[in-house]
Structure formats: structure tokens, C-alpha cells
């Protein structure tokens, strides 16, 4: 079985974000980067499947971006992936979900991947469109927001998170693509021996121009932090006095009681 897992390198969400000079994305100066959290669950599930199937399977990890994404690829290799693919694109942040999905589909087409794993969404854009679009472009069955996964006899049993705490179970025949939700598993920490082994694993470099043929369907016009709003008012004292003060404030400063 051939397995592909797609990952994205994103800024650590604890970073202090600043708008870049062109005003269409954030500046990556002084930011720390990591594997997208949803994608870590995808990697872990793909590695568990690789371990279940043994030497009859091969697991490839793919990422798109500038040179720094090789660190994310190396971590996935240390977690248990067999080989890496780096689609070199310093301007990946300017690509819309349609283009990103098209790049992945162009790489995967003809390589006969039986299962493709992606995260449910990325932490920086949060569009949740790439995985399902890749499945559509490749003509694969697709299940999203997985919180449970089983594979046997050429079929996937996927437990999905739905609205309102409801779960759904679907079965898919391979080839298929699944997107992984938080809580699907517990992503492993790479051990030192596996980190050393990962340094010897192949990372294939492919220029984005070799796999991108699609024009964007949407363009980011501007990027800015939310406008700051005024602070709230904290009232302290006896309840009887507070109720009168609150009514007075609502009359004077709002239109609620007018």
C-alpha cells in the first residue's frame, strides 16, 4: 500500500503577529514555526497504519513552502514516515486553497496512492478546503473530521465528528482521502534514534512551477488585526445600588432603554 500524508508548517500560535509590508499576510520575521497541529494527528495516524501494514507499505510526507519547511518534513520522517517530498515555493502564502490542492493533486496523480491523510484545516488560514478539493481532483472517496480510524481488507472505517457532539461512522473503499481532527490519536514525540535515522531519509525537492498549472480563484486583498474596542465597565458595591447605576449607564451610553 502507498500512503501519502500532507503537512503544512505554520507559525506557533503563541507568536506575536505583525502585518507584512505589502499588507497581504503576516511578517514571518522573528516567528517560530511548527507543524500544523491538525497535521500532526494526520502524520501519527498514517504512521500507525504504516506500522500495521509493515514492509508491504510505503509512507510519503509532502509539504509545500520555502526552505524552512524541511524542518517540518524531517520531524514527520522522525515520527516514522519513509520519505519526504518538498514542493519548493517561497510564496506559498499567496496561493489560495484551490492552487494548493491542485499542486498536491498534480504530484499525487499517477502515483497510485491508496490513502491520503491531511489535517482537517490549517491553523493560519483555517479554510478546511484543501483536503476535500484534493479528493475531488483525484476522484477519491473522502471523509472529513476524523476522530476514529480503522483499516482492514482494503476499506477504511472512519468515525467522524459532526455538529452538536454527534458522531457518524462511514466506510470507504480505497483509494480514499481522510482529514484528521484533534483528538484522533496522541501524536508521538520523535526519539533521538529516529531523529538520527531521519537525517538519512530521502527528501525529494520539486519546483512549484513543475506542478502548478492553475490560476487562483481568490486573492487576499488585505490583512489586518481586528479593530480595538473600548474596555468594559466593572461595577462594584451593593446589588441595590448596582442595579440603579446599571440602568443609568444603559440609558446614557446605549440605546437599549431609549
Amino acid at each position: 500500500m502507498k500512503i501519502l500524508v500532507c503537512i503544512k508548517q505554520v507559525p506557533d500560535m503563541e507568536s506575536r503577529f505583525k502585518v507584512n509590508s505589502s499588507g497581504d499576510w503576516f511578517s514571518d520575521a522573528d516567528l517560530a514555526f511548527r507543524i500544523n497541529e491538525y497535521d500532526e494527528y494526520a502524520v501519527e495516524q498514517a504512521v500507525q497504519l504504516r506500522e500495521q501494514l509493515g514492509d508491504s507499505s510505503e509512507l510519503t510526507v509532502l509539504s509545500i513552502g520555502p526552505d524552512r519547511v524541511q524542518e517540518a518534513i524531517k520531524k514527520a520522517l522522525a515520527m516514522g514516515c519513509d520519505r519526504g517530498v518538498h514542493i519548493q515555493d517561497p510564496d506559498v502564502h499567496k496561493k489560495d486553497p484551490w492552487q494548493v490542492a491542485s499542486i498536491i493533486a498534480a504530484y499525487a496523480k499517477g502515483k497510485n496512492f491508496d490513502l491520503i491523510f491531511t489535517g482537517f484545516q490549517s491553523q493560519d488560514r483555517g479554510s478546511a478546503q484543501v483536503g476535500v478539493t484534493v479528493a475531488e481532483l483525484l476522484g477519491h472517496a473522502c471523509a472529513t473530521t476524523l476522530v476514529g480510524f480503522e483499516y482492514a481488507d482494503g476499506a477504511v472505517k472512519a468515525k467522524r465528528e459532526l455538529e452538536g457532539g454527534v458522531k457518524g461512522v462511514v466506510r470507504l473503499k480505497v483509494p480514499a482521502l481522510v482529514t484528521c481532527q484533534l483528538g484522533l490519536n496522541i501524536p508521538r514525540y520523535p526519539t533521538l534514534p529516529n531523529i538520527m535515522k531521519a537525517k538519512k531519509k530521502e527528501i525529494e525537492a520539486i519546483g512549484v512551477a513543475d506542478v502548478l498549472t492553475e490560476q487562483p480563484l481568490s486573492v487576499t486583498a488585505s490583512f489586518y488585526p481586528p479593530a480595538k474596542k473600548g474596555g468594559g465597565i466593572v461595577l462594584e458595591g451593593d446589588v441595590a445600588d448596582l442595579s440603579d447605576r446599571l440602568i443609568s449607564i444603559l440609558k446614557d451610553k446605549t440605546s437599549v432603554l431609549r
Side-chain angles (χ1 to χ4, degrees):
M1 170 179 276
K2 296 184 68 174
I3 309 165
L4 176 67
V5 58
C6 303
I7 66 173
K8 184 177 184 180
Q9 189 186 56
V10 298
D12 189 302
M13 293 298 109
E14 298 300 319
S15 302
R16 293 180 64 87
F17 290 87
K18 296 180 181 179
V19 178
N20 62 14
S21 58
S22 56
D24 58 2
W25 198 236
F26 52 77
S27 170
D28 61 5
D30 302 322
L31 291 181
F33 288 86
R34 53 163 294 171
I35 296 179
N36 179 53
E37 187 175 6
Y38 295 89
D39 298 346
E40 287 188 309
Y41 290 87
V43 172
E44 176 62 31
Q45 199 59 57
V47 171
Q48 288 185 19
L49 179 59
R50 168 73 172 84
E51 292 171 341
Q52 174 189 334
L53 299 173
D55 293 337
S56 64
S57 63
E58 180 186 61
L59 173 53
T60 300
V61 55
L62 176 149
S63 188
I64 307 169
D67 291 343
R68 58 175 162 75
V69 306
Q70 289 208 14
E71 293 303 315
I73 295 173
K74 289 176 182 177
K75 180 177 180 180
L77 293 174
M79 290 175 70
C81 296
D82 297 308
R83 58 187 298 270
V85 174
H86 175 200
I87 308 296
Q88 299 171 316
D89 185 5
D91 293 323
V92 66
H93 62 281
K94 297 181 180 179
K95 305 292 189 298
D96 68 349
W98 165 249
Q99 288 182 298
V100 173
S102 298
I103 291 170
I104 296 170
Y107 169 78
K109 189 175 182 180
K111 292 182 173 60
N112 300 317
F113 288 108
D114 299 284
L115 269 171
I116 301 176
F117 292 84
T118 75
F120 162 56
Q121 63 181 0
S122 63
Q123 290 175 283
D124 52 0
R125 276 195 185 275
S127 71
Q129 295 177 28
V130 172
V132 292
T133 306
V134 172
E136 177 67 19
L137 290 170
L138 294 175
H140 287 10
C142 180
T144 60
T145 59
L146 262 65
V147 291
F149 176 92
E150 296 177 22
Y151 174 81
D153 302 323
V156 171
K157 180 180 178 182
K159 184 178 182 181
R160 301 181 58 226
E161 182 179 65
L162 305 177
E163 296 292 334
V166 177
K167 304 293 190 295
V169 177
V170 296
R171 296 181 187 274
L172 305 89
K173 290 184 178 180
V174 298
L177 182 148
V178 295
T179 75
C180 302
Q181 175 63 291
L182 306 182
L184 171 61
N185 48 51
I186 301 177
R188 68 192 68 189
Y189 288 100
T191 62
L192 181 57
N194 286 337
I195 292 173
M196 299 306 293
K197 290 178 183 178
K199 293 181 179 180
K200 299 179 180 179
K201 293 181 179 179
E202 174 194 3
I203 300 179
E204 179 185 4
I206 300 173
V208 69
D210 296 332
V211 285
L212 177 62
T213 59
E214 300 294 334
Q215 294 299 314
L217 299 182
S218 61
V219 177
T220 301
S222 61
F223 188 81
Y224 53 89
K228 292 184 178 180
K229 297 182 179 179
I233 300 174
V234 178
L235 302 179
E236 297 179 351
D238 295 333
V239 175
D241 294 336
L242 290 178
S243 60
D244 291 338
R245 291 170 59 193
L246 176 59
I247 291 172
S248 177
I249 291 171
L250 291 175
K251 285 181 177 179
D252 295 341
K253 298 184 178 295
T254 74
S255 59
V256 174
L257 300 181
R258 293 179 184 175

